[in-house]
Amino acid sequence: MSPQSPRSQSPGDPSGSRGGPQGQGPHGAGAAVQPPNALFAEMLRAARELLAVRSPLDAELMVSELLGTWWGQRGPRVSGRRAAPVEQLVGEGLVDYAACQRSPAALALLSGIACLGTPRQAAKAERAALDLLSSGVHCPGWAEHLGAVTSGECYVNPDVLGDQDEVICVFSYDGEEPHALVAVVDYNADGMLRDGWVTSRVDKLLDHCREASSQRTAAGPEGKHAFRQVEAGQARHMLETALHVTDAATDPAVSESFPSYHAFIRARIRALPPYRGRSLSATGARRQLWSKDRRAMLAAEFLASDEAEDLSDRGSASHCADRIIDYGCDRDFGRPLRMSPVKVQTFLLGWLPRKVMLSFAEQDAMPHVLAAWVRWAGRRRGLDEAIVAETLEAVFNSMGMFAQAYRDPAEFGLDYVLVRRLLPDADLEALPRRAFAFGVLEGWYNGTDLGRLDPADLEDRRALLAADHATPAPGGVGRHIERHLVLADRLWRGDPPELWEAAQRLLDAGQDRHLVLHALMAVLDHTSGDEVALVAVLRELEGDEA
């Protein structure tokens, strides 16, 4: 199906794909400036269109589009707390408002939200809808079919490069009005679910996928990744995992139409049977485990290949190969040999500049090593030469941009030797939080040359943190340094990620570094090893609370 497929380009498209009437519901930008009741009244007026439809599928898609108006937005901060999702503030407020209107439009809207809303929204909407029904409010005919959604066959349709999977799930209303949900899982974006749409032309869709798959199968060995049927529970696991990645992202790179389908996708995932097998990765297959020895063997095979023989700096080439393998194993679901134009660009221009500290020689060598890896991996996988050439072209086109995108550690204002001490694992992403944890790394303290101490060593850490305290701390220096050690260890490891995120919010609010450290230590003391409580408190911590 990808990249050109018989899918909906926009809801209401005459191609046969289904969607609500775009542009007829309230828009988030305009609604945000209106008083709540005026906003809810406008939404309820838009919901009157639900009374004119007969198809339960059309009704669900219209409600999904309405709920998608505020998807991904956050409301204003209240009493210093982090902003609550607008989905919670507006969505539940809309249910409360509709429950008081006692009109057919209100009942239609509540019936849709009872099926498509969040668990809290759905529960409140169902109670309100039953109350309106009992008071004699007329219910639209399609509402009785909403609870009769049944799942059918499910399929996975991967693209030839492995960049994404299209997960296709067929549904019906107790055997009537069959339709297919097509959801796109993007493996170059951490396995995020970034697009989705619905079509009623199920047979045409499946025939197109089978035809395209047969052409890929005839082209070579990559046919083993062709269009295939999967168990419905497995499809649910794939979609649940991918949607969780999307919902957890701060600013997910989803398609323009995705918000309109988000609630519908969420509801259809719930309609699939639970997965009963072993835990799967987002790709739907057991994630391959790549030990250090196995990664080293793969690097050795590459360095001994014909493709790598022209790499003059063997030391730098070896380190660069390690980074390519790490990215494929850890970020591409255990697939270091999979290469594509999008993957190499994401690796060179996104992951490397943000995540990995490279020496000057490694910075020069990386694009050339990557090009050799693309040729070698393509031969290993038996890829068509045209596909390999396309990926190589992406590497060559990215060389100049990589030189600009990669941030030399000197740009952080730290000496290169100092950076190496903070990054023995070359985890460039960890540099800001580790530099924050250890404010003093040079000079002399109690006759000790701090520049010779290793911040990764426990005893050396204690001396570095003690040097950061010119005056004795209340309650005794020893106990106070121990608290700093606990915090420094967590910041060093980035465990949990919310710890550094909270620190950045406090610093951005103008708080002094020392006060921020103490605020974080207070949270650690307060939660006493309860990781769930720790994360919850850190997420709520804001600058005016420190």
Side-chain angles (χ1 to χ4, degrees), residues 298-355:
L298 187 63
E301 290 180 38
F302 164 68
L303 294 172
S305 69
D306 293 340
E307 288 82 2
E309 66 177 352
D310 292 333
L311 299 174
S312 56
D313 186 344
R314 306 299 287 183
S316 295
S318 177
H319 290 146
C320 290
D322 289 341
R323 299 308 176 192
I324 296 170
I325 294 171
D326 289 343
Y327 182 77
C329 293
D330 300 334
R331 305 293 295 182
D332 193 27
F333 304 90
R335 302 182 293 177
L337 293 178
R338 187 191 79 83
M339 305 304 292
S340 73
V342 176
K343 180 179 177 179
V344 299
Q345 289 175 339
T346 303
F347 172 73
L348 274 180
L349 306 180
W351 187 75
L352 272 178
R354 175 180 57 82
K355 185 67 177 173

Side-chain angles (χ1 to χ4, degrees), residues 137-159:
V137 177
H138 176 71
C139 182
W142 50 259
E144 64 185 72
H145 299 286
L146 294 183
V149 175
T150 55
S151 62
E153 302 88 359
C154 296
Y155 305 86
V156 173
N157 186 39
D159 71 357

Side-chain angles (χ1 to χ4, degrees), residues 46-66:
R48 293 174 183 172
E49 296 181 22
L50 291 168
L51 302 176
V53 302
R54 297 183 178 180
S55 163
L57 178 59
D58 286 339
E60 283 194 88
L61 290 171
M62 291 174 67
V63 173
S64 181
E65 182 182 358
L66 183 66

Side-chain angles (χ1 to χ4, degrees), residues 410-422:
E411 295 183 20
F412 291 98
L414 298 175
D415 180 81
Y416 188 78
V417 175
L418 192 63
V419 172
R420 298 293 293 185
R421 290 170 61 201
L422 287 170

Side-chain angles (χ1 to χ4, degrees), residues 345 348-349 390-402:
Q345 289 175 339
L348 274 180
L349 306 180
E390 183 182 357
T391 305
L392 284 173
E393 184 178 2
V395 175
F396 298 143
N397 290 340
S398 299
M399 284 185 175
M401 290 182 285
F402 172 68

Side-chain angles (χ1 to χ4, degrees), residues 400-411:
M401 290 182 285
F402 172 68
Q404 298 175 0
Y406 190 83
R407 294 189 63 187
D408 191 289
E411 295 183 20

